[in-house]
Amino acid sequence: MDQRRWEDLDVDCLLIVLGRVGMESLLLDVPFVCKSWYKASLDPSFWQCLILPDFHDGFMVARFSYFAKNQYWIATPFYRKFIRQYRISKYRFSMTGFVKLLVSRSRGNATSLSLPECSNRLLRLVANTCPSLKALSLPRNFVLRQSSIIMELTEKLKHLESLSLGDSTDITEILSQISLHCKNFRRLDVFRASLCKDEVLSIVKFVPNIEYLSLRRAIIRRCDLITLLQGCRELVFWMSVVLVLMRVTMKYQCLLLIFLILGVRV
């Protein structure tokens, strides 16, 4: 009895199977099985959600290596395997080139993108090649302050609904542009933010209909917190861990913290 070869597997069945394996396997394993599997792995529907592995796994190793200053990826298993499989010199690997490869496979249909490393050049690439993007997550240590980049991003990513930012970003400038160009914006995640009165007012003014707000390790005064919760009436999820609560009783502090951690409106 003749055995069927993997490359003879029905294309429709193959696409269903490959749609469940995840980006890492589609990039590092599937293309190397046979030519038909490689061709199938290029289907744009597989490359809509681009969640790139971050550098946390290899950070402690990389910080002591020769490449620690600019190339944390070299100690991360995913990226090491990538340069081996595709026979790329570790000296020539760049995150911009890597993202360009993934985005090209989506053929402009990427809807989610999470970046472990970022630069203004890379953001321009995203703005020009990902018009359908709905969710964008930037590294926590990346400072997004250049007005031209912010404007270019928001003007071209009109379908943006969710944005995750680092700690030293100009929130007011970003939200003002989002209010003009991204009409479906519903989610903001800012890590280790220190929110002053003006920044809180900018959230209330520019994105009053925001539904999900995550301010992890945020520092915010009680009066500003109340202003935020009263101004954003559509909030269905809210999270903040570090608060500066002034002139309130200990009992009220505890209750407020419990509500905030659980994401309950007060």
Side-chain angles (χ1 to χ4, degrees):
M1 180 177 177
D2 294 335
Q3 292 184 344
R4 296 184 62 184
R5 297 176 298 176
W6 283 111
E7 54 265 36
D8 294 331
L9 185 65
D10 181 77
V11 175
D12 292 333
C13 293
L14 181 59
L15 292 178
I16 293 174
V17 173
L18 297 185
R20 299 175 179 272
V21 302
M23 188 187 74
E24 184 171 342
S25 291
L26 283 170
L27 193 64
L28 302 180
D29 301 316
V30 172
F32 300 95
V33 174
C34 60
K35 290 183 179 180
S36 62
W37 281 41
Y38 167 73
K39 184 177 179 180
S41 72
L42 300 179
D43 190 291
S45 64
F46 297 150
W47 304 94
Q48 293 182 355
C49 184
L50 305 177
I51 309 301
L52 279 64
D54 60 31
F55 303 140
H56 295 168
D57 293 340
F59 180 78
M60 293 306 294
V61 176
R63 66 180 296 187
F64 297 109
S65 75
Y66 176 79
F67 302 95
K69 185 175 181 180
N70 297 310
Q71 296 177 306
Y72 296 133
W73 59 265
I74 204 168
T76 306
F78 172 83
Y79 297 103
R80 289 207 311 272
K81 185 175 181 181
F82 174 80
I83 64 176
R84 286 200 307 268
Q85 290 286 69
Y86 288 85
R87 299 180 181 179
I88 300 172
S89 169
K90 60 186 177 183
Y91 303 104
R92 298 183 61 186
F93 177 87
S94 72
M95 187 54 61
T96 299
F98 183 67
V99 173
K100 188 175 182 179
L101 168 66
L102 300 184
V103 168
S104 67
R105 293 193 176 188
S106 75
R107 298 181 187 176
N109 294 316
T111 56
S112 299
L113 177 62
S114 178
L115 299 172
E117 181 181 281
C118 200
S119 65
N120 290 339
R121 179 186 176 191
L122 183 50
L123 286 180
R124 285 196 171 95
L125 171 67
V126 171
N128 291 323
T129 57
C130 301
S132 301
L133 204 64
K134 294 182 179 181
L136 175 62
S137 178
L138 303 181
R140 295 176 181 178
N141 62 348
F142 179 70
V143 180
L144 182 56
R145 284 182 175 172
Q146 192 171 331
S147 297
S148 60
I149 297 293
I150 295 172
M151 186 175 297
E152 189 171 347
L153 266 178
T154 54
E155 283 182 348
K156 295 184 177 180
L157 302 183
K158 296 182 182 298
H159 301 289
L160 193 67
E161 299 177 4
S162 173
L163 181 62
S164 180
L165 300 168
D167 57 343
S168 300
T169 298
D170 189 344
I171 297 177
T172 300
E173 174 68 18
I174 292 175
L175 293 182
S176 67
Q177 294 298 321
I178 284 177
S179 68
L180 293 175
H181 305 291
C182 309
K183 301 303 181 182
N184 296 321
F185 191 78
R186 291 292 181 269
R187 184 182 188 118
L188 177 65
D189 184 342
V190 183
F191 179 75
R192 206 175 278 170
S194 180
L195 298 180
C196 64
K197 179 180 179 180
D198 290 341
E199 290 175 323
V200 169
L201 291 176
S202 70
I203 296 176
V204 174
K205 177 182 178 180
F206 295 122
V207 287
N209 297 322
I210 194 168
E211 297 176 1
Y212 301 89
L213 182 59
S214 176
L215 304 175
R216 291 171 292 170
R217 301 187 185 180
I219 298 177
I220 182 172
R221 297 187 305 166
R222 172 183 173 272
C223 58
D224 294 331
L225 172 62
I226 292 174
T227 299
L228 183 60
L229 294 176
Q230 289 178 341
C232 299
R233 294 292 182 177
E234 302 299 322
L235 275 176
V236 294
F237 177 83
W238 154 268
M239 183 178 72
S240 180
V241 179
V242 179
L243 302 171
V244 176
L245 301 175
M246 305 174 65
R247 297 180 183 177
V248 292
T249 65
M250 182 62 68
K251 179 179 179 180
Y252 187 73
Q253 280 192 22
C254 293
L255 287 174
L256 189 56
L257 281 171
I258 291 172
F259 286 142
L260 293 177
I261 291 172
L262 293 177
V264 180
R265 285 189 58 88
V266 295

